[in-house]
């Protein structure tokens, strides 16, 4: 596995805060972050930003550490499958938590004891209001809340009720443990927020041990503190929760009080980032699974053929800011092309085959043509590609009545076959009934071996091809964006994002022909199909299936050029 180079001393604002903290000897010079996913779905590219940031910061400072912590406090939505997928994805991105893999559920007993401490201090109480009543009492941004009638229960009564909550005596939702803060606070999060709820649901790690579960706001800050986190980095929607984060740790007088720092989450055009909505997509059958290559999940991107390097590069380039924005998905694709251009082996594959017979090429003869594997990589070497009398070329590379600027095949026209010979089209064979072109008869010029002529004669077009007798049949999946609109979630109609689902996000080409050398390659191997794009092997069960990772057309490169920069 590759270990990412620590990014160049990043100048983002979080890096600056930490540098200053170190200069001021804060936290005894320690830097300790964490990535805290909830195992209620697969990680997506937004999480990759958070992973690169948290693990990246740990790598940038001497002795820096980063924990992987599962925030598993809602057993209804959480599953072991998700835990395993998250571990796989973080590792695949190139990050190591070493021996620092934790679960909020590891701290359930400690959390319980801290809650008891708050009750004893008169800072928490058991509330019997129903969910609706709690909402009603909370007030609004313009109207202060009302105290719960249970707010002034005695410490003894609260301790008794809370221990009975733990013993499983009460029904789900019938009681809450709430912090006693201020029902008139302008910050709604400070209006006696819930710390514990009753939920008789089996947990994937603690089983039926607990009929009560801590709320996120309580579990999160305490877990951070227990782990000795110095900087608790999270997305902007938690900014309003920071006073509560600090209140809890201040009241508990814990030794370690991490600093919460918020940054803007990643939004990407033509996709969505919410795990809940991604789960909907798969439950409704719009995609085949969490790892469907159209999904913005790490698992989907991996299967699509993305490299971890390209995703890390993307996260580096988008930077870290304090204001929300949407990143053009073309930038992600640009980072991918740049990386694949360096590492992908070039091969020839014909998507939509048209038969070509070289009439003056000896029957039964096969030549092994030399083909370089990657002109961008001097160490990539070369391979042999068989050439014979019957070939396939791309149907799109022939026009019966071509316009002037069409430099490919047409009646009487000459082109270069990459790595092979010049050929000239001398006859077009059509189906008598449909008129469809079935075959081209061509002649080749034996003096142009390798694709170069000795007499200085030039041709404008260079086509890819395969030898019909040797090539392998393959299926190719072409992907487009899942949505037709840049911001599907902004969709106003009743259907919401469903209204902009792209009905053509997947196109399957069933009878493509690829170079024979690909038979030995492993699932996941990435290629550039000459002139077409980057592809990877999706599966080899029964048939060879490729995913198109990304086409060669670089819309970001064009945008950047227009803007006069790179
Ligand atoms: P979602 O809204 O997609 O369900 P979440 O925030 O509920 O995501 P968590 O598992 O709680 O998912 O997220 C783990 C960490 O990843 C959190 O620190 C969260 O702030 C961060 N994160 C989630 N989404 C993004 C995003 N789009 N950009 C950057 N960081 C993100
Ligand atoms: Mg969350």
């Amino acid at each position: 596995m590759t270990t990412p180079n620590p990014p160049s001393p990043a100048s983002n604002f979080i890096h600056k805060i930490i540098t200053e903290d170190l200069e001021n000897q804060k936290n005894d010079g320690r830097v300790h972050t964490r990535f805290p996913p909830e195992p209620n779905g697969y990680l997506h590219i937004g999480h990759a930003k958070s992973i690169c940031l948290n693990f990246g910061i740990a790598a940038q400072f001497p002795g820096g550490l980063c924990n992987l912590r599962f925030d598993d406090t809602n057993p209804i939505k959480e599953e072991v499958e998700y835990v395993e997928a998250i571990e796989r994805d973080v590792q695949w991105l190139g990050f190591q938590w070493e021996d620092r893999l934790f679960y909020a559920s590891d701290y359930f007993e400690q959390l319980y004891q801290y809650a008891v401490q708050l009750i004893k201090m008169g800072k928490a109480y058991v509330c019997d209001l129903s969910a609706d009543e709690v909402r009603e009492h909370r007030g609004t941004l313009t109207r202060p809340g009302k105290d719960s009638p249970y707010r002034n229960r005695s410490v003894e009564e609260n301790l008794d009720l809370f221990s009975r909550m733990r013993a499983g005596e009460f029904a789900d939702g019938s009681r809450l443990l709430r912090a006693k803060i201020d029902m008139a606070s302008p910050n709604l999060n400070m209006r006696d927020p819930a710390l514990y709820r009753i939920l008789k649901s089996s947990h994937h790690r603690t089983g039926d041990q607990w009929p009560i579960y801590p709320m996120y706001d309580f579990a999160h800050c305490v877990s951070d503190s227990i782990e000795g986190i110095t900087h608790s980095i999270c997305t902007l929607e938690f900014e309003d929760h920071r006073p509560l984060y600090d209140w809890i740790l201040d009241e508990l007088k814990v030794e370690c009080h991490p600093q919460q720092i918020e940054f803007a989450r990643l939004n990407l055009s033509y996709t969505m980032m919410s795990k809940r909505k991604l789960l909907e997509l798969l439950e409704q059958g719009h995609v085949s699974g969490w790892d469907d290559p159209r999904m913005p999940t790490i698992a989907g991107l991996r299967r699509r053929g993305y490299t971890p390097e390209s995703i890390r590069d993307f996260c580096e380039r988008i930077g870290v800011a304090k204001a929300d924005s949407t990143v053009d998905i073309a930038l992600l694709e640009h980072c991918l092309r740049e990386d694949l251009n360096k590492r992908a082996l070039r091969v020839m594959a014909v998507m939509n085959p048209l038969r070509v017979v070289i009439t003056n090429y000896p029957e039964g003869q096969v030549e092994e043509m030399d083909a370089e594997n990657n002109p961008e990589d001097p160490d990539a070497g070369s391979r042999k590609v068989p050439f014979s009398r019957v070939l396939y070329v791309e149907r799109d590379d022939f026009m019966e009545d071509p316009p002037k600027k069409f430099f490919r095949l047409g009646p009487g026209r000459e082109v270069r076959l990459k790595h092979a010979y010049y050929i000239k089209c001398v006859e077009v064979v059509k189906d008598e009934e449909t008129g469809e072109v079935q075959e081209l008869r061509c002649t080749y010029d034996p003096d142009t071996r390798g694709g170069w002529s000795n007499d200085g004669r030039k041709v404008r077009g260079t086509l890819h091809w395969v030898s019909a007798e040797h090539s392998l049949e393959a299926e190719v999946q072409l992907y487009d964006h899942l949505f037709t609109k840049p911001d599907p979630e902004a969709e106003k109609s009743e259907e919401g994002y469903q209204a902009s689902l792209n009905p053509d996000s997947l196109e399957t080409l069933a009878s493509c022909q690829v170079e024979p050398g690909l038979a030995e390659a492993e699932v996941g191997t990435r290629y550039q199909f000459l002139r077409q794009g980057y592809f990877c092997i999706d599966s080899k069960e029964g048939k060879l299936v490729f995913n198109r990772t990304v086409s060669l057309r670089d819309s970001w490169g064009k945008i950047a050029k227009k803007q006069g920069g790179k």
Side-chain angles (χ1 to χ4, degrees):
M1 186 170 307
T2 51
T3 308
N5 290 326
S8 52
S11 53
N12 71 57
F13 74 97
I14 298 179
H15 196 276
K16 281 200 188 112
I17 293 175
I18 298 178
T19 305
E20 273 173 33
D21 286 349
L22 288 176
E23 281 164 10
N24 296 331
Q25 298 297 315
K26 213 177 144 185
N27 308 308
D28 308 321
R30 290 185 313 115
V31 175
H32 201 152
T33 57
R34 84 287 171 266
F35 172 64
E38 182 180 357
N40 61 349
Y42 279 54
L43 297 180
H44 51 59
I45 181 81
H47 293 113
K49 175 177 180 179
S50 176
I51 293 169
C52 290
L53 179 59
N54 279 295
F55 282 92
I57 278 179
Q60 282 162 34
F61 291 95
L65 300 173
C66 181
N67 296 357
L68 173 61
R69 182 202 316 140
F70 288 100
D71 166 25
D72 54 348
T73 53
N74 182 5
I76 300 174
K77 299 206 168 146
E78 296 163 1
E79 285 176 31
V80 176
E81 179 199 342
Y82 297 142
V83 169
E84 289 168 356
I86 290 169
E87 289 183 29
R88 198 159 54 233
D89 291 348
V90 172
Q91 271 174 330
W92 179 77
L93 276 175
F95 297 102
Q96 319 286 343
W97 54 84
E98 293 163 348
D99 57 350
R100 292 177 307 280
L101 172 62
F102 302 110
Y103 295 83
S105 56
D106 291 341
Y107 314 133
F108 279 173
E109 185 60 40
Q110 269 165 291
L111 284 157
Y112 180 82
Q113 294 305 335
Y114 275 126
V116 167
Q117 194 180 319
L118 287 177
I119 294 174
K120 286 184 178 160
M121 292 159 58
K123 296 290 182 182
Y125 63 97
V126 173
C127 177
D128 303 356
L129 292 179
S130 69
D132 283 343
E133 289 166 329
V134 168
R135 207 170 305 122
E136 160 62 26
H137 276 69
R138 186 175 296 127
T140 64
L141 282 174
T142 49
R143 179 165 55 83
K146 275 187 302 194
D147 282 1
S148 158
Y150 306 98
R151 200 172 199 259
N152 293 316
R153 275 181 162 151
S154 68
V155 168
E156 289 67 37
E157 190 181 1
N158 281 321
L159 285 174
D160 174 58
L161 286 171
F162 190 49
S163 73
R164 287 164 63 195
M165 277 168 65
R166 177 184 185 161
E169 281 187 34
F170 309 121
D172 282 12
S174 61
R175 289 189 158 92
L176 285 173
L177 182 74
R178 297 175 70 177
K180 195 171 183 174
I181 310 180
D182 178 7
M183 289 307 290
S185 169
N187 183 340
L188 292 169
N189 295 302
M190 299 300 272
R191 295 185 187 172
D192 292 9
L195 301 178
Y196 264 92
R197 58 177 170 161
I198 303 175
L199 188 64
K200 289 177 183 149
S201 172
S202 225
H203 185 282
H204 63 100
R205 298 191 76 237
T206 57
D208 294 321
Q209 241 178 297
W210 292 89
I212 55 173
Y213 289 95
M215 305 303 289
Y216 173 86
D217 280 324
F218 184 56
H220 199 76
C221 56
V222 173
S223 304
D224 279 349
S225 172
I226 291 172
E227 291 176 14
I229 300 302
T230 55
H231 300 85
S232 178
I233 301 167
C234 61
T235 36
L236 280 181
E237 69 270 23
F238 291 103
E239 197 164 17
D240 289 346
H241 295 240
R242 189 178 352 119
L244 179 55
Y245 185 104
D246 289 334
W247 183 91
I248 294 170
L249 296 185
D250 283 341
E251 292 297 335
L252 292 173
K253 298 187 181 60
V254 288
E255 230 170 86
C256 168
H257 186 144
Q259 177 183 0
Q260 177 178 309
I261 306 172
E262 309 86 18
F263 71 100
R265 65 197 293 121
L266 168 67
N267 301 303
L268 202 56
S269 62
Y270 296 99
T271 188
M272 345 179 264
M273 234 44 116
S274 141
K275 279 181 280 187
R276 181 179 61 77
K277 290 180 186 166
L278 295 177
L279 180 60
E280 271 170 26
L281 285 182
L282 77 100
E283 282 174 346
Q284 293 169 7
H286 298 299
V287 294
S288 61
W290 284 103
D291 70 344
D292 186 301
R294 291 167 292 177
M295 290 279 263
T297 52
I298 310 285
L301 295 171
R302 173 172 58 232
R303 192 170 151 202
R304 174 90 168 243
Y306 273 75
T307 59
E309 291 83 356
S310 63
I311 296 176
R312 294 200 304 260
D313 179 35
F314 170 73
C315 292
E316 177 75 9
R317 290 197 207 196
I318 56 177
V320 181
K322 206 64 188 168
D324 273 316
S325 66
T326 298
V327 175
D328 193 330
I329 196 166
L331 176 61
L332 178 61
E333 292 171 349
H334 176 74
C335 294
L336 176 63
R337 283 190 191 93
E338 273 203 355
D339 190 45
L340 290 176
N341 183 42
K342 283 182 274 173
R343 65 177 76 238
L345 299 182
R346 274 58 170 167
V347 295
M348 294 193 285
V350 177
M351 300 284 117
N352 194 1
L354 174 61
R355 217 173 117 92
V356 170
V357 178
I358 313 286
T359 52
N360 60 339
Y361 195 83
E363 243 169 290
Q365 180 173 315
V366 180
E367 279 178 90
E368 295 291 339
M369 311 308 292
D370 257 323
E372 58 188 344
N373 284 332
N374 184 351
E376 302 291 324
D377 176 2
D379 300 327
S382 64
R383 67 191 185 286
K384 302 282 185 196
V385 184
F387 182 87
S388 67
R389 183 178 154 90
V390 183
L391 312 171
Y392 290 120
V393 299
E394 211 66 66
R395 222 162 239 285
D396 284 353
D397 281 337
F398 170 79
M399 276 181 94
E400 227 188 328
D401 190 12
K404 249 202 168 129
K405 293 222 160 146
F406 185 82
F407 298 119
R408 301 176 243 168
L409 275 176
R413 296 208 178 181
E414 188 172 46
V415 297
R416 169 191 296 115
L417 292 183
K418 181 80 180 173
H419 307 306
Y421 291 103
Y422 284 14
I423 62 165
K424 188 180 212 163
C425 177
V426 294
E427 192 187 341
V428 181
V429 182
K430 294 193 206 174
D431 183 294
E432 277 176 18
E433 272 170 36
T434 63
E436 195 195 28
V437 176
Q438 284 185 319
E439 182 179 298
L440 304 179
R441 302 261 163 90
C442 297
T443 55
Y444 87 113
D445 176 354
D447 289 337
T448 56
R449 198 173 194 282
W452 307 105
S453 109
N454 295 326
D455 63 9
R457 182 169 97 251
K458 290 210 169 70
V459 289
R460 296 287 292 271
T462 301
L463 310 189
H464 58 274
W465 54 275
V466 293
S467 162
E469 182 193 333
H470 304 90
S471 61
L472 309 169
E473 186 165 79
E475 186 177 295
V476 173
Q477 319 258 25
L478 304 179
Y479 301 105
D480 197 354
H481 299 150
L482 254 181
F483 295 95
T484 53
K485 303 243 173 83
D487 185 0
E489 286 169 292
E491 193 62 47
K492 293 277 184 306
S493 69
E494 205 171 294
E495 290 169 275
Y497 68 82
Q498 308 255 349
S500 54
L501 272 168
N502 179 3
D504 303 316
S505 60
L506 169 62
E507 185 188 347
T508 301
L509 304 177
S511 40
C512 307
Q513 296 287 335
V514 304
E515 273 184 30
L518 275 58
E520 281 88 53
E522 285 172 28
V523 168
T525 311
R526 304 180 183 92
Y527 297 98
Q528 185 193 92
F529 288 178
L530 284 183
R531 301 173 63 222
Q532 315 198 65
Y534 296 99
F535 295 75
C536 72
I537 303 181
D538 187 59
S539 69
K540 295 181 77 175
E541 282 159 32
K543 58 184 171 183
L544 191 53
V545 181
F546 287 87
N547 293 323
R548 183 172 67 192
T549 310
V550 68
S551 69
L552 287 179
R553 194 185 38 197
D554 185 349
S555 50
W556 181 261
K558 277 191 203 132
I559 296 168
K561 238 189 201 154
K562 252 192 212 153
Q563 292 170 346
K566 211 196 147 192

